[in-house]
């Protein structure tokens, strides 16, 4: 079994034990329910045993499942140790920095600070690992990344040290299908609507687990709102396009560009004290920062201060 397979299967089992439901677990993993079912059944067939009890809630590992889970966990630990030892043993002159980032976030953030950093250190190369936040967080914990750039630093693992830009805003995109839509108005003034009113509209949202969705779900819980979500997508740009095509209201961070089109939709800046995010760069707490590392962090922060509130 490859490292990728063992890591994925461990994540699959963890999600099934957390949600006790294949559909919800698959949604949290950004995969389809049939695929998740197929993978688990394939492993059970190979091992000739049941790994998880599904006949009663909550799901639990069988005795054979516990043994298999311990095996996968040991593989994770062994691989993390291997990567750490290789990292320490690598030639100190290897001038490559591995940075994890969400693809849609990378298109906004990296042009703001990486050119300035590379101007300071032209001999360095940047290896961008563009993937979902959950996967990149696991990579940096396993020393497979040097740095991780994300949003909402308050939700990351405590064994990571994060440096934040400060607060940034969100915007609601309000298409014609919503009762809040104002004809031929490009930007509705901030403070016009409260959060419950916005979230009570027909919604198009990013999938569970995204940084934006986590905040929206928290607000839905606080205000006790049963949302009318007509569609979800893993990709923020897909959500934006669906909203612009009159599917429903969506909420996007300021990092996502949107042109004004008052005949089709309004743009509403959400007050930053009601909903905000922070961009951060993080490293593992055990990493000994070099002068180059410090320059990367300082460049990130210095350019961020030009945009932060």
């Amino acid at each position: 079994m490859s490292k990728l397979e063992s890591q994925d299967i461990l994540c699959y089992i963890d999600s099934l034990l957390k949600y006790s439901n294949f559909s919800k677990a698959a949604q949290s993993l950004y995969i389809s329910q049939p695929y998740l079912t197929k993978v688990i059944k394939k492993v059970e067939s190979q091992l000739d045993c049941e790994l998880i009890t599904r006949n009663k809630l909550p799901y639990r590992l069988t005795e054979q499942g516990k043994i298999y889970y311990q095996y996968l966990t040991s593989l994770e630990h062994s691989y993390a140790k291997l990567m750490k030892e290789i990292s320490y043993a690598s030639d100190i002159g290897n001038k490559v920095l591995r940075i994890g980032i969400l693809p849609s976030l990378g298109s906004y953030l990296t042009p703001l600070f990486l050119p300035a950093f590379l101007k300071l250190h032209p001999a360095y190369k940047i290896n961008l690992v563009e993937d979902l936040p959950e996967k990149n967080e696991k990579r940096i914990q396993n020393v497979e990344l040097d740095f991780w750039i994300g949003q909402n630093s308050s939700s990351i693992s405590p064994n990571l040290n994060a440096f934040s830009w400060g607060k940034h805003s969100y915007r609601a995109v309000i298409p014609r299908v919503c009762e809040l839509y104002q004809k031929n108005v490009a930007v509705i003034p901030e403070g016009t609507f409260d959060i419950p009113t916005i979230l009570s509209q027909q919604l198009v949202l990013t999938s569970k687990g995204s940084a934006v969705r986590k905040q929206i779900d928290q607000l839905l819980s606080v205000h006790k709102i049963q949302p009318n979500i007509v569609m979800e997508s893993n990709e923020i740009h897909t959500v934006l396009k669906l909203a612009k095509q009159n599917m429903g209201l969506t909420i996007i961070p300021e990092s996502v560009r949107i042109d004004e089109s008052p005949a089709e939709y309004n743009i509403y800046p959400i007050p930053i004290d009601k909903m905000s995010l922070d961009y951060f760069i993080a490293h593992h707490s055990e990493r000994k920062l070099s002068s180059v590392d410090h320059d990367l962090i300082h460049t990130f922060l210095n350019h961020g201060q030009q945009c932060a509130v």
Side-chain angles (χ1 to χ4, degrees):
M1 180 185 297
S2 70
K3 166 67 176 61
L4 178 62
E5 289 175 338
S6 65
Q7 185 181 61
D8 285 347
I9 294 171
L10 190 59
C11 289
Y12 296 171
I13 293 175
D14 283 338
S15 292
L16 284 169
L17 295 176
K18 178 179 179 180
Y19 293 101
S20 294
N21 180 285
F22 272 78
S23 295
K24 290 181 179 178
Q27 188 178 43
S28 73
L29 294 162
Y30 302 98
I31 60 176
S32 69
Q33 179 268 321
Y35 177 74
L36 176 59
T37 301
K38 179 181 177 181
V39 170
I40 296 300
K41 286 186 175 180
K42 180 181 178 180
V43 175
E44 290 182 328
S45 176
Q46 291 174 341
L47 298 174
D48 194 24
C49 67
E50 187 178 66
L51 298 175
I52 302 171
T53 59
R54 277 96 97 181
N55 57 349
K56 63 179 180 179
L57 299 177
Y59 287 178
R60 291 285 185 266
L61 290 172
T62 63
E63 290 304 314
Q64 298 95 325
K66 292 177 183 177
I67 295 172
Y68 183 63
Y69 189 90
Q70 289 175 353
Y71 165 72
L72 292 179
T73 303
S74 68
L75 285 181
E76 284 284 286
H77 292 161
S78 296
Y79 186 79
K81 182 180 178 182
L82 170 67
M83 292 303 298
K84 185 175 292 188
E85 290 175 351
I86 289 177
S87 178
Y88 289 154
S90 295
D91 184 359
I92 195 170
N94 185 20
K95 298 181 178 181
V96 176
L97 285 176
R98 305 162 298 172
I99 302 176
I101 195 167
L102 184 69
S104 59
L105 195 58
S107 64
Y108 170 62
L109 292 183
T110 54
L112 299 180
F113 76 97
L114 279 183
F117 169 76
L118 291 173
K119 194 171 182 178
L120 288 173
H121 300 282
Y124 269 78
K125 294 182 179 180
I126 303 296
N127 181 8
L128 283 182
V129 180
E130 298 181 293
D131 208 339
L132 295 172
E134 292 85 352
K135 292 187 176 181
N136 274 332
E137 183 170 11
K138 179 163 283 190
R139 286 190 182 101
I140 197 167
Q141 289 176 325
N142 290 341
V143 201
E144 298 170 42
L145 291 174
D146 300 306
F147 291 93
W148 171 38
I149 295 173
Q151 47 195 5
N152 298 328
S153 58
S154 61
S155 63
I156 69 174
S157 173
N159 67 350
L160 302 179
N161 293 339
F163 304 84
S164 172
W165 271 13
K167 291 184 177 181
H168 292 251
S169 62
Y170 283 103
R171 294 170 291 176
V173 180
I174 306 173
R176 291 173 286 107
V177 72
C178 297
E179 61 181 22
L180 300 183
Y181 172 74
Q182 298 180 11
K183 188 176 181 181
N184 296 325
V185 175
V187 180
I188 298 176
E190 181 180 312
T192 302
F193 308 122
D194 59 20
I195 291 294
T197 300
I198 294 172
L199 296 181
S200 296
Q201 301 299 299
Q202 184 169 304
L203 301 174
V204 180
L205 300 178
T206 51
S207 303
K208 291 275 190 182
S210 71
V212 179
R213 184 60 182 274
K214 285 179 181 178
Q215 290 195 60
I216 293 174
D217 285 349
Q218 184 178 15
L219 289 170
L220 290 169
S221 176
V222 168
H223 294 288
K224 297 180 172 58
I225 298 171
Q226 183 62 42
N228 177 20
I229 303 172
V230 296
M231 191 167 293
E232 298 176 324
S233 172
N234 294 340
E235 175 53 57
I236 190 72
H237 293 290
T238 300
V239 167
L240 175 57
K241 289 179 181 179
L242 291 171
K244 290 164 68 174
Q245 291 299 317
N246 207 33
M247 287 291 295
L249 181 151
T250 195
I251 296 175
I252 60 173
E254 64 178 354
S255 62
V256 179
R257 180 184 172 186
I258 179 171
D259 297 321
E260 295 180 1
S261 182
E264 299 297 327
Y265 54 81
N266 309 134
I267 299 171
Y268 174 64
I270 298 175
I272 204 164
D273 62 327
K274 303 300 181 185
M275 187 177 181
S276 65
L277 74 158
D278 70 299
Y279 300 119
F280 67 84
I281 185 167
H283 64 86
H284 198 286
S285 59
E286 294 182 1
R287 180 181 178 88
K288 295 180 180 179
L289 297 182
S290 67
S291 60
V292 174
D293 292 339
H294 282 295
D295 283 345
L296 178 69
I297 295 169
H298 291 158
T299 308
F300 177 85
L301 295 178
N302 289 340
H303 285 73
Q305 289 170 359
Q306 300 172 15
C307 308
V309 174

